[in-house]
Amino acid sequence: MENKSWVGLLVLCLAIAVVGIAEAGVPAIFILGDSTADVGTNNFLPGSMARADFPHNGVDFPFSRATGRFSNGLNSADFISKQFGLKRSPRPFLSLNTTSLHKKSFRGVNFASGGSGLLDITGRTPFGKERIPFGASFVNRKNVITLSEQIQQLSLVKSNLADIKGQSVTEKLISKSLFFISTGSNDLFGYYHSNSSFSKEAFLSSLELAYEKHLKSLIELGARKFGIISIAPIGCCPSQRIYNATGGCLEDLNDLAIAFHERLGALLFKLSSQHKSIKYSLGNAFEMTISVIQNPLPFNFTQVEAACCGAGKLNAESFCSPHAKLCPNRNNYLFWDLFHPTQAASKLAAVTLYNGGPQFVYPINFSQLAKA
């Protein structure tokens, strides 16, 4: 009964979002994280293999353009931005020049980079191994923008805005803007598959400390409104199911995601207690996704195990490429490739974060965060 009620809430969120979008305007949106939110950052890293600027990626994007999104079309960063009146996600930082900040239409920046994580070693040289799969692909020391570097880029944006608009105007803009962060999955993938000698608790503590450091850096830069997206049931990704002889989820990997969500909730509560001006929304991506996996039909999903684009078992034994097998009914698939959601799944996640109740986003949803 409980799962059915959650399904009903998700359907209601989707219906509400269709009726009224962009109720709350915000001066700007800044997005940080990994490939779940990357809208082309890694296109500017020539040596990176964590890229999606080639078909079949983008097959449902306008003009079927492969933009660097790990999706058949738009991703969660786009749909979250659309809830606040933007056409899609702000442009990636590496595509900007100083004139971009002069424009009256400036609404933010996307810093997210596929392959990155909470730890600086994630996507670089993780846990003593030279190269292992992280999120989108194999990446090395020069081919990912770490979260620490993304925050440095934000600092540069703030400095340039202050030169253009003035310090007080910029401070006000930053304090009223929304900061969305989607990261952590790559850290868990790296740890789980590395056979690290780190205990589970020690590893999760290191992630929590890293997240605290990053959030404090953002607070020092003037950020006050945080939309945090926790880790989904990544053990149910097609790429992980192929490690299970039954094709089921890797529950040990899912347990790591659940445990980290609990730690993240406690961390955000602590920081908001220490900094009274801080407002936050913590999206429970695990519960949102697992509810769909367990009862997909109300959301028009008929395939929640296999990837739409790929090859082999569950279409998950290779990355999406121009030569990969492509499903024709993409709106009915939860997963686009062996790691990432389809455009349809990303839209459902975004509207749930925007309108959802405390089962899925706590203590307030993204719409309420904008008004806080």
Side-chain angles (χ1 to χ4, degrees):
M1 286 295 294
E2 187 176 10
N3 183 57
K4 289 183 179 179
S5 68
W6 286 10
V7 169
L9 282 169
L10 279 168
V11 172
L12 178 62
C13 289
L14 183 58
I16 291 173
V18 171
V19 173
I21 291 178
E23 294 178 358
V26 294
I29 291 173
F30 299 96
I31 298 170
L32 304 98
D34 56 26
S35 58
T36 58
D38 189 340
V39 294
T41 292
N42 285 16
N43 297 354
F44 297 89
L45 306 178
S48 177
M49 294 178 65
R51 290 171 60 163
D53 52 341
F54 49 82
H56 295 295
N57 296 294
V59 63
D60 296 311
F61 198 85
F63 306 106
S64 296
R65 287 191 294 123
T67 61
R69 291 164 171 82
F70 296 83
S71 170
N72 55 304
L74 301 177
N75 65 16
S76 59
D78 294 304
F79 285 113
I80 288 172
S81 300
K82 284 168 72 71
Q83 299 302 313
F84 297 98
L86 279 68
K87 182 178 180 181
R88 57 180 70 104
S89 167
R91 290 168 55 188
F93 170 81
L94 294 181
S95 74
L96 301 178
N97 52 45
T98 54
T99 60
S100 303
L101 304 182
H102 282 274
K103 294 180 180 179
K104 292 183 179 179
S105 59
F106 174 79
R107 294 294 303 275
V109 183
N110 187 315
F111 303 93
S113 172
S116 68
L118 288 163
L119 304 176
D120 286 344
I121 60 171
T122 297
R124 291 186 169 189
T125 312
F127 303 105
K129 289 197 171 186
E130 184 178 355
R131 284 186 173 185
I132 61 173
F134 273 82
S137 186
F138 292 86
V139 292
N140 62 35
R141 292 190 69 85
K142 297 180 181 179
N143 300 329
V144 63
I145 307 298
T146 68
L147 190 55
S148 295
E149 291 166 339
Q150 293 175 39
I151 295 172
Q152 292 171 12
Q153 292 173 344
L154 171 65
S155 179
L156 181 60
V157 168
K158 180 184 176 182
S159 177
N160 286 338
L161 283 173
D163 291 341
I164 296 165
K165 300 177 182 294
Q167 189 66 36
S168 62
V169 171
T170 299
E171 293 286 353
K172 184 177 180 180
L173 181 149
I174 295 293
S175 68
K176 294 185 177 299
S177 294
L178 300 181
F179 290 79
F180 296 116
I181 307 175
S182 178
T183 191
S185 297
N186 293 328
D187 302 283
L188 295 194
F189 282 131
Y191 171 75
Y192 182 82
H193 290 291
S194 68
N195 297 316
S196 171
S197 59
F198 271 47
S199 70
K200 171 183 172 180
E201 290 303 313
F203 172 69
L204 292 176
S205 293
S206 70
L207 290 191
E208 183 181 352
L209 287 171
Y211 221 138
E212 182 172 12
K213 174 188 172 184
H214 295 313
L215 289 172
K216 284 183 175 179
S217 295
L218 291 169
I219 291 169
E220 289 177 5
L221 286 172
R224 293 295 180 267
K225 296 185 178 186
F226 296 96
I228 308 295
I229 304 171
S230 69
I231 301 173
I234 56 176
C236 297
C237 290
S239 62
Q240 306 308 297
R241 286 180 181 270
I242 62 176
Y243 290 109
N244 189 331
T246 68
C249 303
L250 294 184
E251 296 303 339
D252 287 346
L253 188 49
N254 282 349
D255 288 344
L256 283 172
I258 293 172
F260 186 63
H261 177 82
E262 294 173 355
R263 285 174 172 264
L264 186 52
L267 171 61
L268 290 167
F269 179 80
K270 181 182 78 170
L271 289 176
S272 66
S273 299
Q274 295 172 346
H275 305 271
K276 298 301 181 182
S277 60
I278 297 300
K279 305 294 180 184
Y280 72 90
S281 299
L282 175 57
N284 192 335
F286 192 99
E287 292 297 343
M288 288 191 294
T289 307
I290 208 69
S291 296
V292 174
I293 290 174
Q294 293 173 349
N295 195 354
L297 291 181
F299 309 99
N300 198 39
F301 293 119
T302 57
Q303 177 53 266
V304 296
E305 298 179 358
C308 174
C309 184
K313 183 179 179 181
L314 296 179
N315 233 18
E317 294 182 348
S318 72
F319 293 99
C320 184
S321 72
H323 306 292
K325 179 182 176 182
L326 179 66
C327 71
N329 50 333
R330 295 180 286 278
N331 287 336
N332 301 132
Y333 273 66
L334 181 64
F335 290 99
W336 164 240
D337 61 16
L338 67 174
F339 286 105
H340 303 96
T342 57
Q343 175 174 260
S346 293
K347 180 178 181 180
L348 177 60
V351 297
T352 304
L353 290 166
Y354 187 78
N355 287 304
Q359 296 91 340
F360 304 114
V361 55
Y362 178 87
I364 56 177
N365 59 37
F366 284 11
S367 173
Q368 294 165 328
L369 177 66
K371 301 171 184 176

